[in-house]
Amino acid sequence: QVQLVESGGGLVQAGESLRLSCAASGLTFSPFAMAWFRQAPEKEREFVAAINWSLGIPFYATSVKGRFTISRDKAGNTVALQMNSLKPEDTAVYYCAAARGRPKYYSDSYKYDDWGQGTQVTVSS
C-alpha cells in the first residue's frame, strides 16, 4: 500500500522557479532510488532526475542538468525537485516514482514500481 503524493506544480513564466515535493508513505523497505519523470502532451514519458536513496547521489537528464536539483530527506521519506530557469519546453505533468530494486539505468521508467498521481507544471513564454 505504497502511496506517493506530489505537490508544488503551477503556472510560471519562463526564467522563474518551482519546487516540487513528493511524500511517500506505506514503504515497507527503503527504495533503492526515487526519481522524477515528466510527460508533455503527445510525447513519451521522459526521465528528468533520480537519486540513490541511500547515498544521495543524483542523476540528471541532459536537458535539465544545471537547472534542476533533486534531493531527498531519508527521515521524512520525501524527495524534492528544485527547478530553476524554467523554459516553456519544461511544461509537462511531473511524476514521482520509487524503485524497490536497483535499476540498470536510472532513466528506465519500467524499473520503477510505485508512481504518484502527477502534478502539472506550465511555463509560459
Side-chain angles (χ1 to χ4, degrees), residues 1-121:
Q1 198 172 357
V2 177
Q3 185 175 31
L4 304 179
V5 180
E6 302 103 330
S7 62
L11 172 63
V12 297
Q13 295 182 3
E16 295 183 344
S17 300
L18 278 175
R19 184 178 178 86
L20 306 182
S21 182
C22 174
S25 62
L27 293 174
T28 304
F29 303 99
S30 298
F32 183 87
M34 294 191 70
W36 291 93
F37 291 80
R38 66 187 182 187
Q39 187 165 21
E42 301 181 338
K43 290 188 177 181
E44 298 289 327
R45 187 183 301 173
E46 178 187 26
F47 170 74
V48 178
I51 189 165
N52 176 283
W53 191 256
S54 179
L55 300 177
I57 301 173
F59 302 86
Y60 299 97
T62 301
S63 60
V64 306
K65 192 171 185 178
R67 299 188 298 122
F68 292 9
T69 302
I70 188 171
S71 61
R72 57 86 171 105
D73 179 351
K74 294 177 67 177
N77 286 120
T78 59
V79 61
L81 185 69
Q82 178 66 43
M83 305 184 294
N84 298 328
S85 302
L86 283 163
K87 305 174 181 179
E89 50 262 45
D90 294 318
T91 296
V93 177
Y94 283 70
Y95 298 92
C96 175
R100 300 174 188 177
R102 178 180 181 177
K104 186 174 183 179
Y105 302 104
Y106 286 95
S107 58
D108 289 339
S109 62
Y110 65 91
K111 290 293 186 178
Y112 291 82
D113 305 283
D114 304 290
W115 294 80
Q117 81 288 349
T119 185
Q120 177 70 48
V121 172

